[in-house]
Amino acid sequence: MQKLINNPADAVLECLQGYELAYPHLIRVHYDPHFVYRIDAPVQGKVSIISGSGSGHEPLNIGYVGRGMLDAACPGAIFTSPTPDQYLAALKKVYGGVGALYVVKNYTGGVLNTELAMEMAAEEGFQVASVLVNDDVAVEEKANRRGMGAAVLVEKIAGAAAEQGRDLDSIVQVARRASAQTRSMGVALSSCTSPSVGRPTFYLPESQMEVGVGIHGEPGRRREPLVHAAEVVNIVAQPIIEDLELKAGDMVLAMVSGLGSTPQQELFIVFRYLHQLLTQLGVRVERQLVGNYITSLDMAGCLITLLRLDPELLELWDAPVRTPALCW
Amino acid sequence: MSQEITLAQLRRWLLAFTDRIIQQELYLTELDAAIGDADHGTNMRRGMDKVRQRITDENAPCPDVSTLFRTVAMTLISSVGGAAGPLYGAFFLRAARGTNNGAKSITLLQLAQMFRHGLEGVQQRGKAQLDEKTMIDTIYPAVEALEQAAQAGKSVADALALAREAAEAGMKHTIVLQASKGRASYLGPRSIGHQDPGATSAYYLFETAAETLGQEQA
């Protein structure tokens, strides 16, 4: 294992400590239980937006804490959803008195721990709601779809709505719509190596790719010969386009996220072909993100995420945001 | 039938369970690497270290069976994360309901009832049924076997031996199943041919129960 870590067991803690030193003007870190919160929290009278996920997906979610996006993010152990007491402690720290929204990625652990946290929060008199992110078209059965790139987009849109001072119901509504309008699919050219395991989770021979991967190092839905970038984009984007039923005249937000160890060069090549493919269909790429936004440690490959935009979602996307990983 | 299982014995069982998980950390993680995200051993170990600390803490002793199980549940929920934390938490939390508050010992029938409540807790929390390639595939047949043996008047040792056998068969049955719950479900048919890591860690519950509670009663 070739990694710049000390002890695998300390990787998450030391990452958070470095993170706090890197962004002292934007965030603070609370330890034991671990969560990252925006420097001016709690913002009174504003609905709090809280998210969480296993570590190893950076900048998700700790990179999205700040004005216009998340009030707090709870990092779990590597690839392991955080515990209910992390969610509850974060809620208490950032609660502005008018409700909180948890953004939940659809994984068994993520859902179960948030459910427990919400039960505990409700018992203590907090007003909480959740929005589920389940955008992965690689999983055919809709109820089972994993949460992937949509997490970034839904957190941004919900965060903007909260910053405008909207009430919890209205934020839940717009966040659910953004989630429902988003689809993703991933492709891996290598496995990642989880520090505690010390070797790749799966072995991918030269000239093969895993199609339909998630973000936890698990293999994908199927293995295929690796083809040219243009063809990979077709293989990954077509199921998204079909599932979203995109047609000429639609406008989308397109995100190409590297999974951790893919050079930007390749991500821009992928984006170029994605843009071409959508343009040929008459779909307008109105906004885009190309880079590492949701990753899987050092996995090679990318996720393609498309969000069908409407004027309200576009306005919320464009609203100012000031976080370590997204800023405009 | 009237053999009692004492609080001290239950505590020894739970310590044996934590030891077994800690010994098998790498094996559980390897099983998880095949069809999941390679963290089941690490997660369970983190929880077991905390459980061990908590239930051997002389400054905060667990005075009765119900408190012991609740303590284990809350420790797992707040230290494991992932799906395993809430699911094992649900097992022990619900199991605690199967006994009277303040009880210092339980009968075999009560143990079977506690496990039945625990199973129901896991099923409700995880919304999983038999044959979905999860820990249910181990716990369900083991609880059935334990109940039948308890009702038939078998000794604690014989009943737990039967529960252990049923748990093992259930765990091994997960090899041929296609996962429809949990992270392995994302692999679709590729999940077939691998033993489920959650079913495996759950097997250790019954294996260590047979070894500790069973033997001491034999």
Side-chain angles (χ1 to χ4, degrees), chain A residues 77-85 106-113 115-116 119-120 136 138-139 141 144-147 194 196-197 199 201-202 210-212 216-223, chain B residues 25-26 29-30 32-39 42-43 46 50 74 76-87 93 124-127 178-183 185-190:
Chain A
I78 289 172
F79 290 171
T80 303
S81 55
T83 58
D85 39 330
N106 195 26
Y107 297 96
T108 312
V111 171
L112 294 185
N113 283 292
E115 276 175 5
L116 278 176
E119 286 170 20
M120 287 152 79
D136 182 14
V139 180
E141 198 195 326
N144 243 345
R145 285 181 170 173
R146 296 175 276 217
S194 182
S196 59
V197 183
R199 57 179 165 71
T201 313
F202 60 88
E210 283 279 345
V211 178
H216 298 93
E218 66 268 52
R221 297 294 283 193
R222 56 182 198 272
R223 185 167 289 185
Chain B
E25 176 186 351
L26 290 178
T29 291
E30 268 169 37
D32 196 23
I35 53 170
D37 56 355
D39 68 354
T42 324
N43 288 343
R46 190 172 51 244
K50 286 270 158 61
M74 295 319 291
L76 291 173
I77 289 169
S78 64
S79 63
V80 176
L87 292 175
L93 204 55
Q124 270 175 23
R125 189 49 79 188
K127 300 172 190 76
Q178 175 173 332
S180 56
K181 277 281 182 311
R183 208 160 273 168
S185 68
Y186 305 131
L187 270 62
R190 292 175 87 181

Side-chain angles (χ1 to χ4, degrees), chain A residues 106 132 134-136 139-146 183 243 245:
Chain A
N106 195 26
L132 189 69
N134 54 347
D135 49 320
D136 182 14
V139 180
E140 284 93 6
E141 198 195 326
K142 289 197 176 178
N144 243 345
R145 285 181 170 173
R146 296 175 276 217
R183 302 285 187 282
D243 210 273
E245 296 175 17

Side-chain angles (χ1 to χ4, degrees), chain A residues 195-246:
Chain A
S196 59
V197 183
R199 57 179 165 71
T201 313
F202 60 88
Y203 170 70
L204 194 54
E206 190 77 2
S207 75
Q208 298 278 300
M209 62 179 176
E210 283 279 345
V211 178
V213 288
I215 52 169
H216 298 93
E218 66 268 52
R221 297 294 283 193
R222 56 182 198 272
R223 185 167 289 185
E224 288 185 14
L226 176 59
V227 285
H228 285 148
E231 192 47 37
V232 173
V233 170
N234 264 324
I235 291 170
V236 177
Q238 279 303 346
I240 300 174
I241 291 167
E242 280 166 27
D243 210 273
L244 264 183
E245 296 175 17
L246 286 178

Side-chain angles (χ1 to χ4, degrees), chain A residues 73-141:
Chain A
C74 303
I78 289 172
F79 290 171
T80 303
S81 55
T83 58
D85 39 330
Q86 277 176 277
Y87 281 123
L88 191 62
L91 174 76
K92 288 178 179 172
K93 184 77 190 177
V94 303
Y95 199 73
V98 290
L101 177 73
Y102 285 113
V103 182
V104 184
K105 286 138 219 114
N106 195 26
Y107 297 96
T108 312
V111 171
L112 294 185
N113 283 292
T114 328
E115 276 175 5
L116 278 176
M118 287 176 65
E119 286 170 20
M120 287 152 79
E123 269 176 29
E124 293 194 33
F126 293 98
Q127 197 193 352
V128 283
S130 67
V131 53
L132 189 69
V133 171
N134 54 347
D135 49 320
D136 182 14
V137 295
V139 180
E140 284 93 6
E141 198 195 326

Side-chain angles (χ1 to χ4, degrees), chain B residues 96-118:
Chain B
R97 283 194 201 165
T99 177
N100 305 324
N101 282 338
K104 309 270 187 201
S105 67
I106 52 171
T107 63
L108 179 60
L109 216 48
Q110 281 173 325
L111 182 71
Q113 276 168 6
M114 289 171 76
F115 280 10
R116 168 62 67 183
H117 284 291

